[in-house]
Amino acid sequence: QACSVPVSFSWAVMAVGKNKRLTKGGKKGGKKKAGDPFLRKEWYDIKAPSMFTVRNCGKTLVSRTQGAKIATEELKGRVLEVNLADLNSDEDQASKKIRLCIEEVQGRSCLTDFHGMQLTRDKICSLIKKWQTLIEAQVDVKTTDGYVVRMFCMAFTARQREQVKANCYAQTAQIRKIRRKMTEIMTQEASKCQLRELVKKLIPEVIGKEIEKQCKGIFPLKDCMIRKVKIMKKPKFDITKLMELHGDGGDDVGVEMMRPEADDAMNTLTADVTAAADDD
């Protein structure tokens, strides 16, 4: 005969208030309140060096100073790419891109220095064609103000006048001679001037024209140009040189006088000296 034994079940009931996560609902450190990140940022003006026509060439964003992260320090060393057509207000120069590096921040203005130059991809693609030889050379040059610049040059062989043959390929010996001449001219032109003067030479393609002229005896060339310039090393930062480069004594240059100065006008010191000489 089976006997039934009563079984007792004990249910554990958790007291409310012991586990705080249950009452608050959701995981600890859940979704944060999403705010607009642009509210924590500031706009700064970009000032191009005086070698370019347009000085205010754009704006840049940076997070506001917070703790050890200072906004001006975050901006320094930032590299910007601007089209030369925008910097010089000339559409004919749209095939070149200029790289500028922020060196110093004054108020809400970022003072920049030249950091590099490059031809646009579409310009290079438009030059490369069949039935001609592409000749390229590169060289590292140190300017007089201590910048080490790497320059890349490219040129194409040209057809002679009244040429019947479809192609105009150069021989390997001729290519070597032209490449040697390219490096020689680039070194000669860049090592005798400061960086700002070199930039002024790069914009109108002075070096490219000189290479074409001197290589005419080896093989006629066309579309000879500096396709890329990179700054490899910079000298120690000098604020006075940067201010010289920007050359601004403020935007207010004064107003030209409406009437000319009188011929007999002179300062008081000159008047006293002249009077003393007359008495003697």
Side-chain angles (χ1 to χ4, degrees), residues 11 33 60 98 116-117 124 134 175-176 188 198 200 278:
W11 296 93
K33 197 176 181 182
T60 187
I98 301 288
M117 187 208 81
I124 296 169
L134 163 64
I175 291 168
R176 277 204 296 268
Q188 192 181 319
L198 179 63
K200 285 175 185 173
D278 290 342

Side-chain angles (χ1 to χ4, degrees), residues 95-96 117-120 124 137 139 149-155 182 185-186 189 198 201-203 205-209 211 223-230:
S95 59
K96 286 189 178 83
M117 187 208 81
Q118 192 175 359
L119 284 180
T120 54
I124 296 169
V139 68
V149 182
R150 183 169 291 168
M151 297 164 75
F152 298 81
C153 180
M154 63 188 261
M182 278 177 170
I185 293 164
M186 283 193 288
E189 290 284 339
L198 179 63
K201 284 181 184 179
L202 292 169
I203 293 166
E205 284 300 344
V206 173
I207 300 169
K209 284 169 188 170
I211 291 167
D223 299 323
C224 183
M225 51 184 71
I226 306 296
R227 70 170 179 86
K228 193 175 186 181
V229 175
K230 286 163 82 174

Side-chain angles (χ1 to χ4, degrees), residues 152-207:
F152 298 81
C153 180
M154 63 188 261
F156 300 89
T157 53
R159 291 183 65 181
Q160 298 275 27
R161 199 180 296 168
E162 297 175 14
Q163 184 178 319
V164 178
K165 195 164 65 169
N167 61 52
C168 53
Y169 299 130
Q171 293 176 347
T172 315
Q174 290 171 324
I175 291 168
R176 277 204 296 268
K177 276 183 186 175
I178 291 168
R179 200 174 283 131
R180 202 177 301 126
K181 202 77 181 166
M182 278 177 170
T183 54
E184 192 184 298
I185 293 164
M186 283 193 288
T187 308
Q188 192 181 319
E189 290 284 339
S191 60
K192 290 179 182 175
C193 63
Q194 292 186 345
L195 184 70
R196 69 180 84 172
E197 288 157 21
L198 179 63
V199 175
K200 285 175 185 173
K201 284 181 184 179
L202 292 169
I203 293 166
E205 284 300 344
V206 173
I207 300 169

Side-chain angles (χ1 to χ4, degrees), residues 33-43 61-64 66:
K33 197 176 181 182
D36 186 9
F38 281 87
L39 295 173
R40 295 190 297 276
K41 294 188 185 292
E42 293 174 324
W43 288 96
L61 266 177
V62 70
S63 297
R64 282 202 185 96
Q66 194 173 21

Side-chain angles (χ1 to χ4, degrees), residues 36-75:
D36 186 9
F38 281 87
L39 295 173
R40 295 190 297 276
K41 294 188 185 292
E42 293 174 324
W43 288 96
Y44 282 78
D45 294 318
I46 297 157
K47 290 251 184 177
S50 57
M51 60 190 88
F52 303 109
T53 312
V54 179
R55 301 299 303 283
N56 288 333
C57 59
K59 289 181 179 287
T60 187
L61 266 177
V62 70
S63 297
R64 282 202 185 96
T65 303
Q66 194 173 21
K69 288 185 91 175
I70 301 159
T72 53
E73 294 303 315
E74 295 290 316
L75 280 167

Side-chain angles (χ1 to χ4, degrees), residues 115 139-141 147-152 229-234:
H115 193 69
V139 68
D140 285 12
V141 195
Y147 286 86
V148 177
V149 182
R150 183 169 291 168
M151 297 164 75
F152 298 81
V229 175
K230 286 163 82 174
I231 302 285
M232 304 307 292
K233 277 184 187 175
K234 289 183 180 183

